Amino acid sequence: MVDRAARGAVFTPEPIGRALVAAALSGRPRPPRSVADPAAGDGRLLAAARRALDDVELYAADVDGAAWRRGPGGSLGSARFLETDVLVAPAPLWSDLPAGADLVIGNPPFLDQLDARSALDAAAREGLRRRYGDVVAGYTDLASLFLVAACEMAAEDGRVALIMPASFLSARDAEPARRRVLELGTLDGIWWGGDGIFEDADVQVCALVLDRSGPRRRHVRRWVGPRWHPVDPLDVDGDALRLAPSWGPLVAGLIDEDLPQVALASDAVLGDVAAVGAGFRDQFYGLAPLVTDIGGDPSGRTDGRAPLVTSGLVDPGRVGWGRRPARIAGRTWTTPGIDPADLPDGRLARWVAAQRRPKVVVASQTPVVEPVADPTGEWVPSTPVLSVHPGTASLWRCLAVLLAPPVSAWARAHAAGSALTSRAIRVSAPLLRAVPLPPDERAWSRAATVLERSHRGDGSPPDAVVEAATTMTAAYGCDPEADVWWRSRAGRLSPP
Ligand SMILES: C[S@@+](CC[C@H](N)C(=O)[O-])C[C@H]1O[C@@H](n2cnc3c(N)ncnc32)[C@H](O)[C@@H]1O
């Protein structure tokens, strides 16, 4: 039998399966006569569909026939079961369902391509690329391909209801899949399950209900939490959503009820005026064995050694280096750093040298965007800390943009679903490059001046950060409620 992790086999809790079936059946002119589950596992979702429907034909497939026969599937008498790899099997999957199923439901495997246990080999990836084209991007989770396959399996007037990893909503590698499913159908409903839905899988989940046909513009139904509590629907234009970079804004207000709605429309973005960069695993694992406690101050060093700045050390406008401990590769340090002279020549040395310029460093997995300036260019960011090197915009202007409460609200909405927990933002280089710039140049300059003066010792840094943040809310033309929200999330604005 194939290992469970390699198959992404995490079975759906009974009440979640029932709610998924109920959401899939509601709002339709007639009940489906055929229901298919292409990743049927032990058959529990089809068993729930059978209980909800009087007269229905059931179709199932899974690579694991034993699970189906042992579970509720084994007692579903007339259900047609195929033991096959659905992603590569020829269409139509079930020969007696040539026009597709009225309803395709499922909880496809979540096979994280960054996880060595579930990552595909190059040949398998190439096969999927031939079949699904550009939907197979760098680290595409296979759940995205299942969603595309499920849409193709549904009849022309059919429906699809699938549980999905929440990262599908905003991950960059899922963008081609999001576009493809909105070419094949229209979003009709979305459930935000969040964390803790599956006991044996630490993953945030959502569910999508899509119709193959029907009006393109509609009120998308929404539900939240383990009990599928219904919330206000959203008016969504399917064609506009197809072109949108993220579906995160559809659920952002369900994850953080106080999140201010901000519309940051601008042609110019941070990536036009600054270079945003991120280290990868190679940099992290390359530097980890070289870390020592280097002592001293984080800026203005003369001994050539470089302070290493972790996400945990970054607060909005301040760095806690030397004031509180940092964890790096399982060890705790009080003044972590490296000596660039210890670096072997090559890529890592070049990467470290390129970091040692004036920049803004930005933490990841934080409740708001947390940037701090390194005007002397001493620090080395410890992955996943990002760096923003000023280009045509000054260092202080870059810092002001990243401290802006509306930018944090925007980032929260756009990255919804991608972070490790639903309370955090996964700040990535593409996200930062796409941050819209503020329309009010003068207010932006004022905020930058406040930050620069405070750096020169004029005024208390926490006050300067709050003043700059408030000024930037005005620079974006947003309501002051964004400041209130930001201050309640920003955490440590004062020392240490
Ligand atoms: C997350 S489980 C869901 C099972 C069940 N539908 C439920 O909701 O409890 C995903 C299932 O997909 C199956 N699977 C993984 N890769 C597959 C593939 N390429 N083709 C068909 N099934 C696959 C696994 O064996 C597993 O049973």
Side-chain angles (χ1 to χ4, degrees), residues 193-417:
D195 315 282
I197 296 294
F198 296 114
E199 246 173 44
D200 45 357
D202 184 14
V203 59
Q204 296 178 69
V205 293
C206 65
L208 302 170
V209 180
L210 290 135
D211 283 336
R212 286 294 309 269
S213 55
R216 213 43 188 151
R217 185 174 192 130
R218 52 176 89 183
H219 282 99
V220 168
R221 301 177 293 153
R222 298 192 300 165
W223 306 267
V224 67
R227 295 174 181 275
W228 286 62
H229 177 69
V231 278
D232 291 346
L234 275 187
D235 186 18
V236 177
D237 176 346
D239 291 316
L241 188 63
R242 188 167 59 83
L243 301 175
S246 164
W247 293 9
L250 301 175
V251 295
L254 308 180
I255 304 172
D256 180 344
E257 285 179 5
D258 302 326
L259 185 73
Q261 294 240 357
V262 293
L264 307 188
S266 170
D267 292 341
V269 293
L270 189 61
D272 298 334
V273 297
V276 183
F280 292 97
R281 293 172 178 213
D282 291 359
Q283 280 82 26
F284 181 79
Y285 289 110
L287 294 179
L290 306 178
V291 179
T292 55
D293 266 322
I294 62 172
D297 204 73
S299 55
R301 301 183 66 90
T302 52
D303 62 1
R305 290 187 294 177
L308 204 56
V309 172
T310 63
S311 271
L313 289 177
V314 176
D315 297 323
R318 289 185 64 78
V319 70
W321 194 93
R323 281 194 289 268
R324 58 174 190 265
R327 299 276 297 168
I328 298 173
R331 294 184 62 186
T332 303
W333 305 93
T334 48
T335 55
I338 54 148
D339 189 340
D342 293 342
L343 290 167
D345 279 346
R347 276 182 55 191
L348 188 57
R350 284 196 297 279
W351 182 81
V352 167
Q355 298 307 311
R356 302 195 71 199
R357 292 184 282 137
K359 60 186 165 295
V360 177
V361 300
V362 188
S364 191
Q365 307 289 349
T366 45
V368 296
V369 178
E370 298 192 351
V372 58
D374 170 24
T376 54
E378 304 284 332
W379 309 343
V380 172
S382 176
T383 307
V385 171
L386 296 120
S387 42
V388 177
H389 294 278
T392 51
S394 74
L395 179 77
W396 304 106
R397 280 182 162 240
C398 293
L399 178 62
V401 162
L402 295 166
L403 280 173
V407 166
S408 278
W410 173 92
R412 188 93 165 81
H414 277 74

Side-chain angles (χ1 to χ4, degrees), residues 7-8 10-12 37 39-41 44-45 62-63 84-86 107 109:
R7 281 184 291 110
V10 176
F11 293 150
T12 311
D37 182 346
R44 60 184 64 199
L45 293 181
D62 202 289
V63 281
T84 186
D85 181 333
V86 164
N107 172 14

Side-chain angles (χ1 to χ4, degrees), residues 16 68 77 111 130 155 162 180 186 197 240 290 295 301 435 456 462:
I16 302 292
W68 170 264
L111 295 172
R130 274 197 300 277
L162 241 58
R180 181 78 188 117
T186 300
I197 296 294
L290 306 178
R301 301 183 66 90
V435 168
R456 294 190 199 292

